Amino acid sequence: MVNLELYKVFYTVAKCGSLTKAAEELYISQPAVSQSIKQLETQLGVSLFNRTHRGMELSAQGGKVIFHKIEQALELFEEAQIMLSQINSSATGTIRIGASDTIAQHVLADKIVEFHEKYPAVKIEILSEYSPKASEELKNGAIDVAFVNLPMKVDDSLVLHGSFKRLTDVFVVGEKYAELANGIVPVSTLKKYPLITLDADTVATKSLNGFLSSVGMEMSASIEVGSFEMMKRLVAQGMGVGVLPKEYAEKEIADGTLKIVKTDPALPVRSVGLALPKNVTASYALRMFLEQFGVKI
């Protein structure tokens, strides 16, 4: 096996012409330099230097034969180290993100714009998936990071980081059922009204069903939709009672298109977090992107 350090010592001695000067440049002792040269000569079976009163001279049949090849090889190693250093200290390449359309719109959009202004060379790819599917894509290596709704269970191959956006789930109605927005109503009252939820496999709907079960209730959805945007439209048009994070409907709540139904008990608070594959080194670009969310890896 090639010992690169021995060749570095050989090259430095040849360049300096002196064991003492080579030792100073390499920050090692002179005996260590001498021992390295002897070890390399033994391995190669030739004498690499002529020891003269003027110092160390390359031997015609040894050192001079290999000097330029060693010089070229060391330059290539240095170039490789520089390339790796640049990869680890500059934001280039592609960041592949898995997230639902809602998370992408309400959590990621502004951060992506901010990041692009700072690191324009980085390409961002977003794979639109519900949180459970995004975690599967993460395990398969199709994406680099998954932004997911919590609470959510992941297996040992993934690591969950924090909860950096609070989600306050609320029931909402349009003008047709505006009476529900007056005062506080028992959550059981809502069983009399059509319920609009996301698809059953989403974290949001599973969280809702878990809450209802904890208070001894069951409510079957009259309408299941694929997005909160569709839910907001249907609720506003009087199709039923919706349930969504109020953070995702601030505009509609502010202008009165949607009205919050205060219930007893209130829906539990959820959050958005991110998942990363365990034991996978993140690129510099991804590390810088995640720092925007307070996550340092």
Side-chain angles (χ1 to χ4, degrees):
M1 181 180 294
V2 174
N3 188 328
L4 181 61
E5 292 303 318
L6 295 181
Y7 285 100
K8 284 183 178 179
V9 173
F10 161 77
Y11 176 74
T12 304
V13 172
K15 187 176 64 172
C16 295
S18 162
L19 294 175
T20 302
K21 291 180 180 179
E24 291 174 354
E25 185 166 325
L26 293 168
Y27 297 100
I28 59 177
S29 67
Q30 182 174 326
V33 173
S34 180
Q35 182 60 37
S36 294
I37 294 300
K38 289 180 181 178
Q39 184 177 344
L40 184 58
E41 288 177 330
T42 300
Q43 289 182 6
L44 298 177
V46 295
S47 176
L48 298 174
F49 292 96
N50 296 320
R51 282 76 169 170
T52 71
H53 67 280
R54 293 188 301 273
M56 303 288 284
E57 295 181 350
L58 290 171
S59 63
Q61 301 300 316
K64 288 184 179 180
V65 173
I66 66 170
F67 176 79
H68 291 297
K69 293 294 184 183
I70 300 303
E71 184 176 45
Q72 291 172 6
L74 292 176
E75 287 175 354
L76 288 175
F77 276 112
E78 185 175 358
E79 289 177 10
Q81 289 179 326
I82 292 173
M83 289 175 64
L84 289 175
S85 176
Q86 289 174 342
I87 289 173
N88 289 323
S89 61
S90 62
T92 58
T94 301
I95 300 175
R96 302 169 300 165
I97 301 170
S100 68
D101 289 340
T102 304
I103 291 177
Q105 177 182 346
H106 293 280
V107 180
L108 300 182
D110 290 343
K111 296 293 187 183
I112 289 174
V113 171
E114 181 182 331
F115 182 80
H116 180 70
E117 290 175 352
K118 190 173 182 180
Y119 302 106
V122 179
K123 180 181 178 182
I124 303 289
E125 294 181 355
I126 300 179
L127 179 65
S128 179
E129 296 286 4
Y130 289 141
S131 295
K133 179 64 174 176
S135 66
E136 290 299 317
E137 296 291 356
L138 187 62
K139 288 191 289 186
N140 295 335
I143 56 177
D144 303 307
V145 58
F147 287 82
V148 296
N149 286 300
L150 302 176
M152 179 180 174
K153 292 182 179 180
V154 297
D155 62 33
D156 292 340
S157 65
L158 301 180
V159 179
L160 279 176
H161 287 267
S163 54
F164 49 80
K165 184 172 180 63
R166 178 188 177 97
L167 298 180
T168 311
D169 280 337
V170 292
F171 291 102
V172 291
V173 294
E175 191 62 37
K176 182 175 180 179
Y177 300 116
E179 71 275 6
L180 289 172
N182 297 323
I184 299 175
V185 301
V187 78
S188 58
T189 302
L190 300 182
K191 292 185 70 172
K192 305 173 185 177
Y193 298 83
L195 180 65
I196 305 174
T197 70
L198 290 187
D199 295 339
D201 288 336
T202 61
V203 172
T205 300
K206 289 180 179 179
S207 178
L208 170 64
N209 290 335
F211 163 75
L212 294 174
S213 177
S214 72
V215 297
M217 280 184 57
E218 286 187 14
M219 291 177 65
S220 298
S222 299
I223 303 174
E224 290 187 359
V225 295
S227 71
F228 287 124
E229 293 304 310
M230 177 60 73
M231 181 188 294
K232 288 189 288 186
R233 291 184 61 182
L234 295 182
V235 170
Q237 292 172 17
M239 297 293 291
V241 178
V243 55
L244 48 65
K246 70 177 183 180
E247 291 81 5
Y248 293 167
E250 291 176 343
K251 176 180 177 296
E252 293 83 358
I253 293 170
D255 65 21
T257 302
L258 298 180
K259 300 172 180 16
I260 294 177
V261 180
K262 297 179 180 179
T263 61
D264 180 23
L267 289 165
V269 173
R270 299 187 294 112
S271 60
V272 176
L274 64 88
L276 293 168
K278 189 180 290 186
N279 300 323
V280 174
T281 302
S283 68
Y284 179 79
L286 180 57
R287 296 200 304 272
M288 293 302 98
F289 182 72
L290 296 183
E291 282 192 6
Q292 296 183 116
F293 303 92
V295 176
K296 293 187 177 183
I297 56 175

